[in-house]
């Protein structure tokens, strides 16, 4: 269940909205989330989604989903569908139908014609290279293009012919006539249309000219009546252009949108760039965009993260203008905290050691049931049957224990979770001297009671060999061995490929024994394996006959001591 306390509060954007509402500037909050459909969404987008949809939720407003599809080369339908699914899975619903910047191509064209008629835009014949040269630098002003003073008639004629396909790709552009000497490079006659003969996933081959992002974004916001247009800080210097565009076209709606910027989320030991994530997929370093090691929303979903856990994370990282580089432990901490409450428990043995209970007697030795959650009796209980042979975790036994060891040793005692205290009577070894089994005796006086006259501190988990069912378990670890894999420089001072720092041990697959209930679980069932961590049945590979569990996160933070 969602509530208004689940979102970042006390941040500057909320203050701005509060003032806008109190001062009567707006009576309604309308935000948008504007992904480019050129890849799957990642953890950084989750922050932006929680902000935009969260504000709409808090202020009883609306949030649009708008595909910013002005770069047809890299965009496609698969990404559109994946993005919609991810937003919904995170718990949000956009207002009405999804919007597309490409829905506005006709209007954007009309506004461009209007700007030409007002003498505020011109067709330029400079090549991309020349435009760059003429642009100047941060310290030097740019130079006017020799084509800048074309007549309105000539500009209109050329722009129409650009549209109708008379000129080759890249040979002409439409530029705003602002100021080549502006201190803000974005205002030095920015290009707003270029000629590109590419098929568009939405408009097909209707267009061979495509509008540029800044121009498109401002007008799309205004058309949709967006009140607060929130983006990341790298767009701060684009805001004057955003405002210029809206100041120089007839207002598309009664709402005048404003742009506000916040800092981008970066996650250590991870990557938040669709382009680089795409590279991991296309070069086969991962199994796909939704590989459980990927910081994509679909990857984290498959890993077992919950929407609630991700929303809690987004709240914790907050919204500000200062650097937002976050340790993986913050993400895992939020996920773990939420699962602690929501995930039922079960028992699994990952590295089994066989234990024969020498005095097991079906007539005397009793079964116990175990609660699915220690704090949530409403989740119910299930029977945990005991039998002659059980599996325990091999590393819960030691012949040569370190100091403070509370688990099983030769001649020592330990409690089986939810069951009896047992004593190790004999260690069975193979010819190579390796421990292959234990023989233990049950103290039948210890079911639900403390043993007489002695203390048994250790409690270990176990499964009846006769009842346990096999499963495949995938253990995931960090994907990269470097905190900032895309910022490591080699001896020559250049960045090394971030793929040099992939962790070769980021996934291991192992067999395990689990409770029979695994055979009735649907995909994406989340459980805590007692003492081992949180696991989820794989979204794709799990079947009731052949259970597959992914480790979502361990029970304790393992990031701190790895540094
Ligand atoms: P990428 O570099 O991964 O392609 P992007 O910013 O180009 O990211 P878009 O699809 O254009 O991706 O982003 C949609 C929205 O998500 C934008 O408003 C953008 O500011 C926001 N966003 C993207 N990455 C992050 C991030 N790391 N932290 C916060 N917001 C982000
Ligand atoms: Mg982008």
């Amino acid at each position: 269940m969602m509530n208004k306390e689940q979102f970042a509060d006390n941040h500057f954007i909320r203050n701005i909205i509060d003032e806008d509402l109190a001062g009567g500037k707006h009576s309604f909050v309308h935000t948008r989330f504007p992904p480019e459909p050129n890849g799957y969404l990642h953890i950084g987008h989750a922050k932006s989604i929680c902000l935009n949809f969260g504000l709409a939720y808090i202020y009883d407003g609306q949030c649009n989903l708008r595909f910013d599809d002005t770069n047809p080369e890299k965009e496609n339908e698969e990404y559109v569908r994946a993005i919609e699914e991810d937003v919904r899975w995170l718990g949000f619903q956009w207002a009405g139908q999804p919007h597309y910047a490409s829905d506005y191509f006709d209007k954007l064209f009309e506004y461009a014609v209007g700007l030409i008629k007002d003498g505020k835009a011109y067709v330029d014949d400079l090549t991309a290279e020349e435009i760059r040269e003429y642009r100047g630098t941060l310290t030097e002003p740019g130079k006017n293009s020799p084509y800048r003073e074309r007549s309105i008639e000539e500009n209109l004629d050329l722009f129409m012919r650009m549209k109708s396909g008379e000129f080759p790709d890249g040979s002409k552009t439409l530029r705003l006539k602002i100021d080549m000497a502006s201190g803000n490079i974005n205002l030095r006659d920015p290009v707003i249309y270029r000629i590109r003969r590419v098929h568009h996933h939405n408009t097909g081959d209707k267009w061979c000219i495509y509008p540029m992002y800044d121009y498109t974004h401002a007008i799309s916001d205004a058309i949709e009546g967006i009140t607060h247009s929130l983006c990341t800080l790298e767009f701060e210097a684009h805001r004057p252009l955003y405002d210029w565009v809206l100041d120089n076209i007839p207002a598309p709606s009664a709402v005048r949108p404003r742009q506000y910027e916040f800092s981008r989320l970066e996650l250590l030991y991870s990557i938040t760039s669709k382009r680089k994530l795409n590279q991991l997929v296309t070069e086969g370093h991962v199994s796909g965009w939704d590989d459980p090691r990927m910081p994509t929303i679909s990857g984290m979903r498959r890993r077992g993260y919950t929407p609630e856990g991700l929303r809690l994370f987004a709240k914790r990282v907050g919204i500000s203008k200062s650097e937002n580089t976050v340790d993986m432990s913050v993400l895992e901490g939020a996920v773990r905290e939420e699962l602690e409450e929501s995930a039922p428990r079960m028992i699994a043995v990952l590295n089994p050691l066989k234990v024969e209970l020498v005095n097991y007697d079906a007539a005397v030795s009793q079964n116990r049931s175990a609660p699915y959650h220690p704090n949530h009796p409403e989740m119910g209980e299930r029977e945990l049957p005991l039998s002659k042979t059980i599996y325990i975790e091999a590393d819960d036994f030691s012949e040569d224990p370190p100091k403070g060891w509370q688990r099983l040793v030769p001649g020592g005692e330990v409690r089986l979770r939810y069951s009896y205290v047992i004593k190790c009577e004999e260690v069975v070894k193979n010819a190579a001297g390796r421990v292959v089994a234990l023989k233990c005796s049950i103290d039948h006086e210890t079911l639900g009671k403390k043993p007489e006259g002695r203390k048994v501190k250790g409690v270990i988990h176990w499964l009846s060999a006769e009842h346990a069912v096999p499963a495949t378990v995938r253990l995931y670890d960090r994907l990269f061995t470097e905190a900032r894999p895309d910022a490591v420089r080699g001896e020559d001072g250049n960045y090394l490929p971030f793929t040099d720092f992939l962790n070769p041990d980021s996934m291991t697959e192992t067999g395990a024994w689990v409770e029979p209930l695994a055979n009735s679980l649907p995909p994406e069932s989340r459980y805590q394996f007692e003492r081992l961590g949180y696991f989820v049945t794989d979204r794709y590979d799990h079947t009731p006959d052949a259970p597959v569990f992914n480790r979502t996160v361990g029970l304790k933070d393992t990031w701190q001591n790895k540094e």
Side-chain angles (χ1 to χ4, degrees), residues 157-435:
D157 174 61
L158 289 172
F159 189 49
M160 293 302 168
R161 289 163 61 194
M162 276 170 69
K163 184 195 182 207
S164 58
E166 280 191 39
F167 306 116
D169 282 11
S171 61
K172 287 188 177 9
T173 56
L174 184 71
R175 300 180 68 176
L176 296 178
K177 200 184 231 181
I178 307 182
D179 179 7
M180 287 306 293
S182 171
N184 184 335
I185 292 186
N186 295 299
L187 295 181
R188 293 185 190 168
D189 291 9
V191 172
I192 59 168
Y193 270 92
R194 67 238 194 275
I195 307 174
R196 299 285 293 121
R197 283 174 177 76
V198 242
H199 187 82
H200 188 283
H201 75 102
N202 223 13
T203 56
D205 295 315
K206 175 174 174 192
W207 296 90
C208 67
I209 55 171
Y210 288 101
M212 301 294 281
Y213 177 82
D214 287 315
Y215 173 74
T216 307
H217 203 79
I219 298 177
S220 305
D221 281 346
I223 291 173
E224 293 176 18
I226 301 303
T227 53
H228 301 82
S229 177
L230 312 176
C231 61
T232 36
L233 274 170
E234 66 272 24
F235 289 100
E236 196 164 24
H238 297 236
R239 186 173 359 117
L241 174 55
Y242 182 98
D243 288 334
W244 189 97
V245 170
L246 296 185
D247 286 342
N248 286 280
I249 60 165
S253 74
V255 173
R256 167 65 191 235
R258 293 275 163 203
Q259 173 181 308
Y260 300 96
E261 308 87 18
F262 62 97
S263 45
R264 238 180 141 75
L265 171 73
E266 289 188 50
L267 195 59
L268 293 177
Y269 290 96
S270 190
I271 275 189
T272 43
S273 148
K274 277 183 281 184
R275 186 179 59 76
K276 290 174 188 159
L277 293 173
N278 194 6
Q279 191 183 335
L280 290 176
V281 175
T282 50
E283 292 180 2
H285 301 294
V286 293
S287 65
W289 284 97
D290 58 2
D291 186 299
R293 293 165 294 184
M294 290 281 269
T296 51
I297 295 177
S298 54
M300 294 187 289
R301 170 179 180 176
R302 196 167 166 199
R303 176 82 170 251
Y305 289 15
T306 57
E308 294 81 5
L310 287 176
R311 296 203 301 262
L312 178 61
F313 170 71
K315 173 172 182 166
R316 290 196 175 151
V317 302
I319 298 294
S320 74
K321 282 182 178 283
S322 46
E323 196 195 79
N324 195 206
T325 303
V326 176
D327 201 85
M328 194 64 100
S329 60
V330 180
L331 175 57
E332 291 196 344
V335 168
R336 185 186 295 116
E337 215 172 290
E338 198 280 316
L339 285 170
E340 158 68 22
E341 281 308 303
S342 66
R345 278 40 171 172
M346 71 184 265
I347 291 179
V349 176
L350 264 47
N351 184 15
L353 176 61
K354 238 181 208 171
V355 175
E356 189 190 326
L357 299 172
V358 290
N359 59 340
Y360 175 83
D361 177 348
V364 180
S365 310
Q366 292 177 41
N367 294 335
R368 281 287 292 278
S369 65
Y372 276 116
H373 197 292
N375 308 327
H376 295 292
E378 74 281 5
M379 286 189 188
E381 302 206 342
R382 82 286 187 195
E383 180 129 306
L384 265 188
L386 192 62
S387 65
K388 178 93 184 161
T389 306
I390 63 171
Y391 296 123
I392 67 168
E393 217 59 74
D395 61 9
D396 278 335
F397 171 78
S398 174
E399 285 189 290
D400 182 19
K403 240 183 123 192
W405 178 265
Q406 293 189 348
R407 292 168 278 166
L408 206 52
V409 295
E413 286 184 298
V414 79
R415 179 175 292 279
L416 299 179
R417 183 105 167 104
Y418 307 114
S419 185
Y420 297 98
V421 170
I422 60 168
K423 180 174 182 189
C424 177
E425 307 285 357
E426 192 187 331
V427 180
V428 183
K429 296 186 179 174
N430 65 10
R434 233 191 63 142
V435 178

Side-chain angles (χ1 to χ4, degrees), residues 86-113:
D86 287 347
V87 172
R88 269 197 301 260
W89 178 78
L90 268 180
F92 300 106
Q93 185 56 55
W94 48 88
Q97 292 295 313
H99 297 261
Y100 293 84
S102 55
D103 293 343
Y104 311 132
F105 281 177
D106 285 314
K107 286 187 185 164
L108 292 163
F109 181 80
E110 280 170 35
Y111 287 118
V113 169

Side-chain angles (χ1 to χ4, degrees), residues 33-52:
F33 173 64
E36 184 181 354
N38 63 346
Y40 282 54
L41 300 179
H42 53 62
I43 185 73
H45 296 110
K47 169 179 175 171
S48 176
I49 291 170
C50 289
L51 174 65
N52 283 295

